[in-house]
Amino acid sequence: MLRRAAVLQRGPLAVGDIAFGRPKQFTQDEVQRFLALAQDENYLHGANPHAPAILPGALTAALISGVMGTDLPGPGSLYLSQDYKFRKPAYTSDTLTACVEVTALSKGRRVIKMKTSVMNAFGEVVVDGEAMGINKAPELWGETRSGAGDAA
């Protein structure tokens, strides 16, 4: 079953739920700001101003965090762990899209296991892996918030 479990569709999480982030092409300025924040001075990330720069792996993978915190599982989600495999370089000229798919759920612990990836515009996977996250929002687990909407 393929469905978008996002802000548009709030309901219980299910194995197979999938969400795609918005396509993103990083600018050289965004890369430079990230490098400054990360204290990364690797010349491969922009030595030649006339050629696309190789994106830092952590910046590319950060698109996954955006999907997790915005769409699936959604607001209130926190990372517990993330495994990455960098399959091929991504460049400032690439348009990238992250994807998150629920692969297992632990209702008692409120833990979500997810398959994660970032693809370029040709559908080639540049990063993939597995993430574990937690989200305690009752509606994601088929429950209602107690007291929600009650009059005082």
Side-chain angles (χ1 to χ4, degrees), residues 29-71:
D29 183 58
E30 289 169 325
V31 172
Q32 291 307 312
R33 286 186 285 150
F34 177 84
L35 292 172
L37 289 170
Q39 300 176 348
D40 183 345
E41 297 179 9
N42 187 341
Y43 69 91
L44 292 175
H45 300 307
N48 183 349
H50 305 293
I54 296 173
L55 294 174
L59 179 59
T60 303
L63 293 172
I64 295 167
S65 179
V67 175
M68 287 178 58
T70 303
D71 297 316

Side-chain angles (χ1 to χ4, degrees), residues 14-17 72 100-105 112-116 129-132:
V15 171
D17 284 352
L72 181 65
V100 172
E101 180 180 355
V102 175
T103 58
L105 296 165
I112 306 109
K113 183 176 178 182
M114 296 156 280
K115 177 181 170 184
T116 60
E130 183 177 274
M132 299 287 280

Side-chain angles (χ1 to χ4, degrees), residues 50-122:
H50 305 293
I54 296 173
L55 294 174
L59 179 59
T60 303
L63 293 172
I64 295 167
S65 179
V67 175
M68 287 178 58
T70 303
D71 297 316
L72 181 65
S77 298
L78 292 174
Y79 263 116
L80 296 176
S81 65
Q82 173 76 59
D83 250 344
Y84 295 124
K85 292 180 183 70
F86 296 94
R87 302 296 183 179
K88 64 182 302 170
Y91 298 90
T92 50
S93 59
D94 290 339
T95 299
L96 304 171
T97 304
C99 178
V100 172
E101 180 180 355
V102 175
T103 58
L105 296 165
S106 174
K107 187 174 181 178
R109 294 178 34 223
R110 304 294 203 238
V111 172
I112 306 109
K113 183 176 178 182
M114 296 156 280
K115 177 181 170 184
T116 60
S117 61
V118 177
M119 297 158 286
N120 63 24
F122 300 105

